Amino acid sequence: MKGRFFKVICAAVMSIGLFGQANADLILGGIYQDGDGLEWEYVGQFDLTDGPTWEHAVSYNGLAAAAIAIYGDVNVAYTLATAAYLKISDVDTISVGDDVVNHLAWYDSYYGPDINDIERKAEGMTADNGGTAGKYDAIGDFSAYVQDRAIPNSYTNYVFKAVEVPGPSTLGVFALALLGLGVRKFKR
């Protein structure tokens, strides 16, 4: 009886772990992939309109917005994905490990007659193409972090950081060496 009860408990715990990964949204700390198969850890999100008003804005590309304006750490390799790529209608089907990172960000452009207001562009594009250096103040400037024409909570940039590949631990290498010595002894 004890063995059967233990097996049921183990099966319940394992199924909770498996089903807990299928979530309706990205899981903080979850590992996701890009089209090249590289792995990225989800660290959060920001909306295009979370930045300062256009009169006081800086021309941030998506990576700069994540590194400087949002998370304050320029020493981390960040990347982005946009909500349109994740398809809001399909969010219920996103699981850890899925290919969701597309290296795109939402940008608002400084007003111009031939420029679209809000677009998805490369996360690291040159955003300052207009007037004063670093400022969002002339036609040709873009920013991934500005209150201008975008509707709040409609243009979400999902932020990921590079997954560090762990090196072999000293204990692991030592255990393999002992295992090799043990196998060698038993072969004699």
Side-chain angles (χ1 to χ4, degrees):
M1 187 71 166
K2 281 184 183 179
R4 185 176 294 166
F5 179 73
F6 180 71
K7 287 178 186 176
V8 169
I9 295 297
C10 286
V13 169
M14 287 177 53
S15 62
I16 288 170
L18 289 174
F19 291 118
Q21 295 298 315
N23 198 331
D25 204 355
L26 296 174
I27 298 171
L28 253 151
I31 306 299
Y32 299 88
Q33 294 186 6
D34 63 13
D36 296 329
L38 297 175
E39 293 185 333
W40 300 90
E41 179 183 351
Y42 175 61
V43 295
Q45 64 191 44
F46 67 95
D47 191 74
L48 170 63
T49 62
D50 288 345
T53 59
W54 66 273
E55 300 99 335
H56 307 289
V58 173
S59 291
Y60 282 126
N61 66 27
L63 296 176
I68 298 167
I70 313 298
Y71 295 98
D73 191 350
V74 295
N75 298 317
V76 174
Y78 290 110
T79 193
L80 300 174
T82 56
Y85 180 79
L86 298 173
K87 299 180 192 169
I88 297 301
S89 61
D90 295 339
V91 163
D92 291 339
T93 64
I94 296 171
S95 298
V96 169
D98 285 354
D99 180 8
V100 298
V101 178
N102 63 0
H103 305 286
L104 297 173
W106 286 111
Y107 290 90
D108 204 338
S109 63
Y110 194 85
Y111 179 77
D114 298 326
I115 298 175
N116 292 330
D117 292 343
I118 299 159
E119 299 177 58
R120 286 186 321 146
K121 294 180 173 284
E123 63 188 8
M125 67 171 263
T126 302
D128 189 13
N129 297 310
T132 312
K135 298 287 184 186
Y136 178 77
D137 64 354
I139 294 174
D141 287 345
F142 293 87
S143 187
Y145 191 62
V146 61
Q147 290 180 34
D148 198 355
R149 287 176 297 283
I151 298 167
N153 302 317
S154 297
Y155 299 97
T156 304
N157 290 309
Y158 294 92
V159 182
F160 302 83
K161 70 177 183 177
V163 172
E164 295 181 21
V165 179
S169 70
T170 304
L171 185 59
V173 172
F174 184 67
L176 281 174
L178 285 177
L179 181 67
L181 289 172
V183 167
R184 185 174 172 200
K185 180 174 179 149
F186 283 115
K187 278 189 173 182
R188 286 187 190 173

